[in-house]
Amino acid sequence: MNRKKVIIDCDPGIDDSLAIMLALASPELEVLGITVTAGNAPVDMGAGNAGKVLDFCHRSDIPVYAGAGQPLVKEYINALDTHGADGLGESFLDVPKDFHVQEKPAVEFLAETLGKGGVSVIALGPLTNLAELIKKDSQAFGKIERLVSMGGNFRSHGNCSPVAEYNYWEDPDAAALVFRTLSEQNGRIEMVGLDVTRKIVLTPTMLAYISRLNPETGGFIRKITKFYMDFHWEWEHLIGCVINDPLAVAQFLDPEILSGFDAYTDVQTDGIARGETVVDSMRFYRRPANARVYTQVDVRRFWHLFLSRILSRPDGALDLIDSILCEEE
């Protein structure tokens, strides 16, 4: 198998952790490293959470690099109100004793690794590390084979303001720099935004099914998502929790899961519309597309992929998924 080399840039984070689990359970991927930025949790906390997930997945061989501790310009505002005091659903799991963050800063690892070519990035948090890479070595950034970002929104409302998704709202200057640099380099970002991620809801019924098939994995996911489910009920009256980040990994694995269109896109950096992705779907600006904006998701296809991987079962053995999804529609 010709495995695809990837770096996961993230801010763990509950849904980041589920995304890492999916990536590590997918034989098509060779995860070269995990780079962490401040976002859902402060960078040191996020790096420790990455270590917890790697330990659970028995993949402590994958190096973790600490990156930016704050946005490029704005004040850092964490999302611990959403992800819990420990950033991992108040599961308060211990950081493995043998876990350590690499001494090399994330931006150096990104520059060295991406500069060789043939490596993709799945970005699950604010784009601060990638913006720092652009400032350090824009040529290395330009060699990213495929850039998939969980962030932004087209027609969906925001999740931290009326118009903005959290990752791009947290560091809008970094997101704007990434999008504008892609325009200059004739590159393209795949924007897995709230229009599609809001459709991916982990419900109590689905979690019970996971736990029945694999009590260890189900128990781990239950520990880290209970706080998240309570948050979604309090703020959105949603039974379950939206798991945004695994969809970005799933799309990297299976491009048939999402569909959308290409468009020139920019990010607002200040004011009431901070973090909003301005998608020129009608081509007013007549500028070449720098983004693939996803708007439709095959929910069943996602869940079949996600569960077959994290549960290490053939898709055909997951016979109740469709029944559960039909009941929840």
Side-chain angles (χ1 to χ4, degrees):
M1 179 184 294
N2 186 17
R3 302 172 72 197
K4 299 175 182 177
K5 296 180 179 181
V6 299
I7 295 170
I8 298 176
D9 186 57
C10 57
D11 59 337
I14 296 165
D15 52 338
D16 300 74
S17 300
L18 296 173
I20 292 170
M21 291 172 66
L22 173 58
L24 298 182
S26 299
E28 305 96 322
L29 302 185
E30 180 184 355
V31 180
L32 302 179
I34 295 174
T35 54
V36 181
T37 187
N40 291 326
V43 65
D44 291 341
M45 181 184 292
N49 287 341
K52 297 173 187 179
V53 177
L54 292 173
D55 180 66
F56 176 77
C57 296
H58 307 292
R59 291 302 310 273
S60 298
D61 57 299
I62 295 176
V64 176
Y65 300 85
Q70 60 185 23
L72 292 183
V73 178
K74 304 293 189 289
E75 177 186 1
Y76 171 54
I77 301 174
N78 65 51
L80 297 182
D81 61 330
T82 305
H83 291 264
D86 62 347
L88 204 55
E90 300 193 348
S91 54
F92 298 113
L93 300 169
D94 292 329
V95 176
K97 292 181 180 180
D98 59 349
F99 172 73
H100 66 279
V101 177
Q102 301 296 310
E103 292 185 6
K104 182 180 296 182
V107 68
E108 289 189 18
F109 168 72
L110 288 166
E112 292 175 5
T113 307
L114 294 171
K116 299 174 183 176
V119 180
S120 297
V121 174
I122 303 175
L124 307 176
L127 298 179
T128 317
N129 284 340
L130 293 182
E132 295 286 4
L133 172 64
I134 290 169
K135 294 195 293 183
K136 176 182 178 63
D137 189 342
S138 62
Q139 289 186 343
F141 175 82
K143 290 184 179 180
I144 296 175
E145 186 165 280
R146 187 176 170 195
L147 175 55
V148 180
S149 167
M150 189 280 118
N153 50 309
F154 173 44
R155 290 182 172 169
S156 170
H157 61 82
N159 63 358
C160 62
S161 85
V163 298
E165 178 275 329
Y166 172 77
N167 286 336
Y168 292 2
W169 177 90
E170 175 62 50
D171 195 344
D173 300 278
L177 179 58
V178 167
F179 276 81
R180 292 167 190 173
T181 302
L182 286 167
S183 290
E184 296 168 0
Q185 297 181 344
N186 295 316
R188 191 163 299 181
I189 191 170
E190 297 179 47
M191 196 176 89
V192 182
L194 297 178
D195 297 82
V196 287
T197 64
R198 285 189 185 281
K199 307 289 180 61
I200 306 301
V201 180
L202 176 67
T203 64
T205 301
M206 186 66 77
L207 182 53
Y209 183 51
I210 294 171
S211 300
R212 176 66 64 88
L213 294 177
N214 189 320
E216 183 181 13
T217 297
F220 181 80
I221 294 175
R222 189 180 299 277
K223 285 180 182 178
I224 69 174
T225 58
K226 182 183 182 303
F227 184 96
Y228 208 33
M229 288 191 179
D230 291 344
F231 176 88
H232 277 81
W233 174 251
E234 179 181 356
W235 286 96
E236 298 187 22
H237 293 290
L238 180 68
I239 299 176
C241 56
V242 176
I243 53 172
N244 302 282
D245 293 332
L247 186 57
V249 176
Q251 175 61 16
F252 189 92
L253 293 165
D254 179 5
E256 298 299 317
I257 288 178
L258 297 178
S259 61
F261 61 94
D262 297 329
Y264 175 79
T265 302
D266 202 352
V267 181
Q268 294 299 297
T269 59
D270 219 335
I272 194 171
R274 164 182 168 171
E276 181 179 13
T277 39
V278 180
V279 178
D280 186 13
S281 60
M282 302 303 293
R283 299 196 70 245
F284 283 104
Y285 298 139
R286 296 294 188 265
R287 296 180 182 177
N290 61 350
R292 178 73 171 172
V293 180
Y294 291 117
T295 57
Q296 300 294 325
V297 55
D298 186 334
V299 174
R300 284 175 171 77
R301 193 173 181 116
F302 166 81
W303 281 113
H304 277 271
L305 174 66
F306 180 77
L307 294 180
S308 65
R309 297 300 172 81
I310 68 166
L311 297 176
S312 301
R313 285 175 173 252
D315 188 21
L318 304 170
D319 54 342
L320 290 181
I321 296 178
D322 289 335
S323 298
I324 293 172
L325 291 172
C326 287
E327 291 176 1
E328 293 174 346
E329 286 180 347

